[in-house]
Amino acid sequence: MSGNGVYLIRGGNVLSQGAAGSGDVLVRNGIVETIGQGLEVPEAVLIDASGMWVVPGLVDIHCHLREPGFEHKEDIASGSAAAAKGGFTTICCMANTDPVNDNAVVTEFIKKKGRDAGHARVRPIAALTKGLLGEELTEAGELAEAGAAALSDDGKSVRNANRMRLALSYAKRFGLTVISHPEDADLVNGGVMNEGRWSTALGLPGTTRAAEETVMARDIMLAAVENTGIHIAHVSTAGGADIVREAKRRGIRVTCETAPHYLYATDELVREYDSNTKVNPPLRTEEDRTALIEALRDGTIDCIATDHAPHHLDDKNVEYSIAASGISGFETALAICWTALVKPGFLSPEELFAKMTHAPSDILGLDAGRLEAGRAADIAVIDPCAEWTVDPAKFASRGKNTPFAGHALTGLVRYTICGGKLTYGG
Ligand SMILES: [Zn+2]
């Protein structure tokens, strides 16, 4: 991504190297040239950042861009434009496309589409098994060389535990992180929401939290046996957080993420049978939500990933039990986290930004998520006081599927710069 523009981001609260302070950021030739005070650069385009946070561009290590194969839901251009609007400059997309991203050709195709669109750095995550079938392993070496950011069969777990063990061992040889989607398909048993008081009240089949926790524990134990790292996707339960906490205490190299919706909403939201609340894993209870926030605070949960999962209206505009799972999340992620975590004082702004920038970047070794002189100019300018109401009709994403339409949120991305180029705002 080449940036010929010169930008002077003036008077913001600049978050650099873990510390925040008032200052100016000069962007030239695609890099952060200077971070300083009272900079005067006549040829620069001025961005007034007074009262705003100037932070590293957000990094998302879990999204779905739907291309190739499902362009009616989203494509790489629309998805990465939505990401830019959400403050993201690096996004890692899962492999459940059609064809599946289980070979270098598809990996290269996604990278090229991302570059051509120019809205964000698109880093494909390749499949762990061919066709996501849980049988034959993909060519990790070839995928690593093609630029895969990680390996995952996200959307389902690898059913056969021994195959998962082999996959972990194989991925380790090529330096690729394996991302586990912890879900026991048998235990899900047709469940469409969290199993509990609300599923009973609403008469909808519930999914036990054990469907998530058993596979999570299994995959962590397999990583321990192979003496390798593993990353757990979308932790949604209090018990899941406990499993990761205990594994870390034992010295197992596990990292994990949760998604904004689990920190903000609960299964009570399903009350109106809005299929936009259907997501996998499902929205859980208030006890889970509280436990996830605590796990973010104590470092058990390393990062926040959107699990942006856009769908076409037709995929959602059906009865709850057969509706597609997923939330279009890029454009609400930062505001939901600000509203649920920073505003009530659970996390400081610096702590939240860490969970959405260098922490996820470091998990996959992406070399992103830092705002420093000399580095690529990937920057988000965020207004922490702006209050706004979610209107999916205004989403850049083709997926208008959010259960948060009409919700009042605090915190708004005003500008995004990726590789020195203004990708949103202005
Ligand atoms: Zn998943």
Side-chain angles (χ1 to χ4, degrees):
M1 200 166 297
S2 71
N4 302 318
V6 183
Y7 293 100
L8 180 58
I9 307 169
R10 184 177 273 166
N13 196 20
V14 181
L15 181 59
S16 176
Q17 299 183 318
S22 174
D24 306 335
V25 177
L26 176 62
V27 172
R28 197 198 305 263
N29 297 327
I31 65 162
V32 174
E33 189 173 283
T34 317
I35 300 176
Q37 303 277 344
L39 302 182
E40 293 292 343
V41 185
E43 69 273 28
V45 175
L46 269 186
I47 292 178
D48 178 9
S50 49
M52 301 192 198
W53 281 86
V54 179
V55 303
L58 306 183
V59 176
D60 186 19
I61 60 170
H62 188 153
C63 72
H64 300 268
L65 297 180
R66 306 302 191 200
E67 186 181 1
F70 303 100
E71 291 84 354
H72 61 293
K73 296 174 189 271
E74 186 86 287
D75 62 23
I76 291 166
S78 64
S80 56
K85 198 172 165 193
F88 293 91
T89 52
T90 298
I91 55 176
C92 303
C93 53
M94 289 298 179
N96 58 343
T97 48
D98 182 18
V100 168
N101 179 16
D102 59 7
N103 64 78
V105 174
V106 180
T107 299
E108 299 277 12
F109 168 84
I110 294 169
K111 281 169 55 187
K112 180 176 186 311
K113 283 279 182 167
R115 276 196 307 271
D116 290 351
H119 302 304
R121 300 176 197 276
V122 175
R123 300 291 312 269
I125 292 169
L128 199 50
T129 67
K130 290 187 180 166
L132 303 174
L133 296 172
E135 300 292 335
E136 203 182 337
L137 298 184
T138 52
E139 298 291 342
E142 187 186 302
L143 290 163
E145 204 164 303
L151 295 177
S152 181
D153 275 5
D154 184 63
K156 39 183 146 175
S157 64
V158 176
R159 206 167 191 143
N160 180 315
N162 193 50
R163 197 92 60 213
M164 184 63 174
R165 179 183 179 182
L166 290 172
L168 283 160
S169 140
Y170 194 47
K172 178 186 177 185
R173 267 198 271 161
F174 298 98
L176 285 171
T177 302
V178 171
I179 302 175
S180 160
H181 167 105
E183 180 184 28
D184 184 309
D186 301 311
L187 274 174
V188 169
N189 193 28
V192 299
M193 68 175 293
N194 181 57
E195 180 181 288
R197 188 162 74 87
W198 281 104
S199 64
T200 305
L202 298 171
L204 289 171
T207 303
T208 171
R209 59 199 57 238
E212 176 173 341
E213 293 161 2
T214 50
V215 176
M216 187 187 300
R218 182 199 79 169
D219 287 354
I220 292 170
M221 292 308 122
L222 293 173
V225 165
E226 288 300 324
N227 190 27
T228 186
I230 190 165
H231 179 73
I232 307 293
H234 41 57
V235 175
S236 74
T237 70
D242 285 341
I243 288 166
V244 173
R245 188 180 286 111
E246 171 63 14
K248 287 187 170 185
R249 197 190 61 75
R250 291 197 208 171
I252 299 170
R253 284 190 284 145
V254 56
T255 55
C256 72
E257 72 195 30
T258 190
H261 37 273
Y262 305 114
L263 300 163
Y264 172 76
T266 67
D267 54 355
E268 189 181 346
L269 203 66
V270 183
R271 210 170 37 185
E272 310 294 333
Y273 295 96
D274 175 6
S275 62
N276 288 314
T277 62
K278 189 175 176 189
V279 61
N280 190 23
L283 296 172
R284 304 289 188 182
T285 66
E286 182 60 20
E287 294 81 73
D288 294 298
R289 193 183 77 87
T290 309
L292 294 176
I293 292 174
E294 187 48 42
L296 272 173
R297 283 162 59 92
D298 73 11
T300 298
I301 297 178
D302 301 85
C303 73
I304 296 168
T306 66
D307 198 1
H308 173 77
H311 286 293
H312 191 272
L313 186 63
D314 293 347
D315 305 317
K316 285 288 194 182
N317 212 0
V318 290
E319 70 181 85
Y320 203 92
S321 59
I322 58 168
S325 292
I327 293 174
S328 181
F330 277 145
E331 291 162 82
T332 53
L334 187 275
I336 283 182
C337 292
W338 196 275
T339 304
L341 303 172
V342 177
K343 212 177 167 194
F346 295 123
L347 291 187
S348 69
E350 292 89 335
E351 287 168 332
L352 174 63
F353 291 129
K355 303 274 188 197
M356 298 181 83
T357 57
H358 58 82
S361 173
D362 290 353
I363 288 167
L364 300 190
L366 300 176
D367 191 30
R370 286 174 174 82
L371 174 55
E372 290 162 21
R375 293 184 68 99
D378 291 2
I379 302 168
V381 179
I382 291 159
D383 182 344
C385 300
E387 300 194 355
W388 61 288
T389 302
V390 179
D391 178 3
K394 293 183 180 156
F395 280 5
S397 170
R398 216 163 269 170
K400 313 300 180 192
N401 50 304
T402 175
F404 308 126
H407 285 228
L409 300 176
T410 304
L412 188 61
V413 177
R414 295 287 189 192
Y415 302 92
T416 306
I417 289 174
C418 182
K421 181 183 140 186
L422 192 66
T423 51
Y424 175 68

